[in-house]
Amino acid sequence: MTLELAVRIAEGILAFAIMQQSVEFIRGQHPEKYLAWLRLMLASFLLVGFMPVWMETGLLLIALILIKRFQGPYNGGSDTMTLLVLLCLWLSHIASMLFTHTKLWQEIALGYLAIQLILSYFQAGWVKVINPEWRSGKALENVFAFTAYPVSQSVRQWATNPALMFYMSWAVILFELIFPLTIFSTVALYIALFIAAVFHLANACLFGLNRFFWIWPAAYPILIWFQSRVF
Amino acid sequence: MFKFLLPILFPSWRFFSSIGPSPRFDFGFIKYTDEQPEVWQEFSVLPDKIELTKGIVRLLHNPEWNERLYINTCAENLFDQYSEFREQEIARRILWILNRHNQLPEDYPYFCYRIRVITNEDNLVKDEVIFSAKPFLVKRGVQ
């Protein structure tokens, strides 16, 4: 995949994810409600590829206002990934405008995003595998039994099945730890990204983390480009 | 501003590294600021199950759930360090959701809430109130 194509696909998915987030805010409170309308408009233009660098500049400014408003990200990791994708894509455009004779700086900006995507899985797996409670399945049992994440009582009941918790824990840990190795093979990477998307879908269904499901795939085209560029 | 931006530019992806105390919110209404509510109601009681069609819709659009996650984040930050901003944010957000569900009683001008935490250590489950917010004047229709 070429750099330009990866950026365009990533921008399309990012724009859709921001539109999804904005529509949720529109039903909310002020001032984020009014900023959401502006965000929705800018993301719509970004979706169709209209002046992407200016749309991304506007979206970055709004993101800064929202971070100040909420004194940090509103939706934890999903907001972090949204801003990271947005910033790296914006930097890649700025680099292409400033350094017309080389793609190096563009590649550095996008490479940073690819590495953060890999880390987002690997580090999450690492902190789990070094924790005995995760290795025994007890931590996941506590997630289902006590945290605010399960979306219904029937999902909370999953905690009463220790064997299920054990196998689910290890499936997640192994997948997250193995993920970086998949960049050595194109086929393995495509399979890993498909499994990752299914993993985010499961998180959305079980824990209501719908924003993660839309924003993480925005970085996938950049990782696919990165894999073909490096290997 | 910089302290909020740094963790975003150089993120730590330590999702669920440890399962800390889990907050629960109770709310009540009072007539005078020096009173305690007669009844504490639990906020955000989970439905028994989510239908498939509702689940698909929530995948695309789930503002209330994301508000609840944000309220949770505010509470977790409050556990680390008291902040008037967080205390008010929780009140504003709970009131907004209650207002949307027409759950604001007419004859009680003040709203208050408390946060309980549920911990599980060695299969010993504890449920303790660790934070009680000051009363907030209910501004109907503007939450």
Side-chain angles (χ1 to χ4, degrees):
Chain A
M1 186 182 287
T2 64
L3 184 146
E4 289 74 17
L5 181 62
V7 167
R8 186 77 279 277
I9 297 172
E11 279 175 344
I13 303 172
L14 170 71
F16 181 82
I18 292 177
M19 289 166 76
Q20 184 272 329
Q21 295 170 11
S22 303
V23 172
E24 287 190 343
F25 271 144
I26 283 168
R27 288 186 61 189
Q29 306 180 53
H30 65 85
E32 55 264 27
K33 184 176 186 168
Y34 305 113
L35 287 172
W37 280 107
L38 189 56
R39 232 174 147 220
L40 182 62
M41 189 184 73
L42 294 173
S44 307
F45 286 128
L46 182 62
L47 184 70
V48 294
F50 177 72
M51 299 176 80
V53 70
W54 289 107
M55 299 308 126
E56 286 164 11
T57 306
L59 289 167
L60 274 172
L61 289 174
I62 295 173
L64 293 179
I65 295 169
L66 289 174
I67 286 166
K68 190 163 168 40
R69 160 74 187 84
F70 295 116
Q71 298 195 2
Y74 168 82
N75 202 249
S78 75
D79 277 11
T80 301
M81 186 55 99
T82 305
L83 193 54
L84 206 58
V85 174
L86 185 55
L87 183 67
C88 292
L89 292 174
W90 179 77
L91 283 173
S92 80
H93 284 297
I94 297 296
S96 72
M97 287 157 67
L98 292 179
F99 306 102
T100 48
H101 59 288
T102 174
K103 282 188 173 180
L104 177 68
W105 292 102
Q106 261 183 292
E107 291 182 343
I108 289 173
L110 298 174
Y112 181 69
L113 178 58
I115 289 166
Q116 284 298 338
L117 179 65
I118 294 169
L119 280 176
S120 74
Y121 294 113
F122 180 76
Q123 194 179 8
W126 179 254
V127 296
K128 291 182 183 79
V129 79
I130 59 171
N131 182 338
E133 290 213 319
W134 265 102
R135 294 199 300 270
S136 68
K138 187 74 189 166
L140 191 58
E141 193 180 314
N142 284 339
V143 171
F144 275 92
F146 301 112
T147 68
Y149 293 103
V151 296
S152 66
Q153 294 294 353
S154 61
V155 171
R156 217 181 254 302
Q157 288 305 308
W158 288 29
T160 59
N161 188 339
L164 178 66
M165 295 295 105
F166 177 80
Y167 290 119
M168 278 176 74
S169 298
W170 274 104
V172 171
I173 291 169
L174 289 175
F175 169 71
E176 289 181 330
L177 288 177
I178 289 168
F179 187 85
L181 299 176
T182 64
I183 62 164
F184 292 107
S185 152
T186 308
V187 175
L189 180 63
Y190 277 105
I191 293 170
L193 291 177
F194 176 76
I195 294 171
V198 172
F199 168 66
H200 291 299
L201 179 64
N203 282 334
C205 296
L206 297 174
F207 302 138
L209 302 172
N210 64 333
R211 292 184 176 202
F212 288 72
F213 174 68
W214 299 110
I215 191 58
W216 246 258
Y220 292 178
I222 303 301
L223 184 57
I224 292 169
W225 159 79
F226 182 76
Q227 194 268 341
S228 62
R229 173 71 181 81
V230 176
F231 299 100
Chain B
M1 189 65 189
F2 208 59
K3 71 173 178 183
F4 301 132
L5 269 179
L6 268 184
I8 294 173
L9 300 178
F10 306 100
S12 170
W13 307 105
R14 300 169 60 87
F15 298 118
F16 295 109
S17 57
S18 61
I19 314 303
S22 179
R24 298 284 191 279
F25 303 87
D26 298 326
F27 66 90
F29 294 93
I30 49 180
K31 287 188 174 171
Y32 305 100
T33 53
D34 56 353
E35 286 181 338
Q36 283 287 308
E38 289 169 23
V39 184
W40 285 107
Q41 284 178 261
E42 186 172 353
F43 173 68
S44 186
V45 178
L46 291 180
D48 286 337
K49 61 190 283 190
I50 306 273
E51 305 296 331
L52 180 65
T53 47
K54 201 173 177 183
I56 293 167
V57 171
R58 285 164 65 122
L59 191 62
L60 271 164
H61 189 67
N62 202 359
E64 221 168 86
W65 185 261
N66 283 314
E67 280 287 285
R68 287 164 202 236
L69 293 182
Y70 174 62
I71 291 168
N72 227 52
T73 305
C74 287
E76 285 164 0
N77 287 328
L78 264 184
F79 300 162
D80 292 337
Q81 188 180 15
Y82 172 75
S83 140
E84 193 175 353
F85 169 77
R86 299 287 182 200
E87 183 183 11
Q88 289 179 356
E89 275 290 90
I90 294 171
R92 281 185 67 213
R93 305 279 160 174
I94 294 178
L95 278 168
W96 177 75
I97 291 175
L98 294 177
N99 192 32
R100 283 192 60 188
H101 293 275
N102 295 319
Q103 289 179 347
L104 298 182
E106 286 294 329
D107 43 352
Y108 288 83
Y110 293 99
F111 161 85
C112 53
Y113 71 89
R114 65 183 187 185
I115 306 175
R116 288 178 288 122
V117 292
I118 298 186
T119 49
N120 180 22
E121 285 175 25
D122 302 326
N123 291 327
L124 183 64
V125 179
K126 285 187 191 166
D127 185 341
E128 298 168 299
V129 175
I130 64 150
F131 181 80
S132 294
K134 60 178 181 284
F136 291 86
L137 185 64
V138 178
K139 295 172 187 168
R140 287 177 178 76
V142 295
Q143 277 77 41

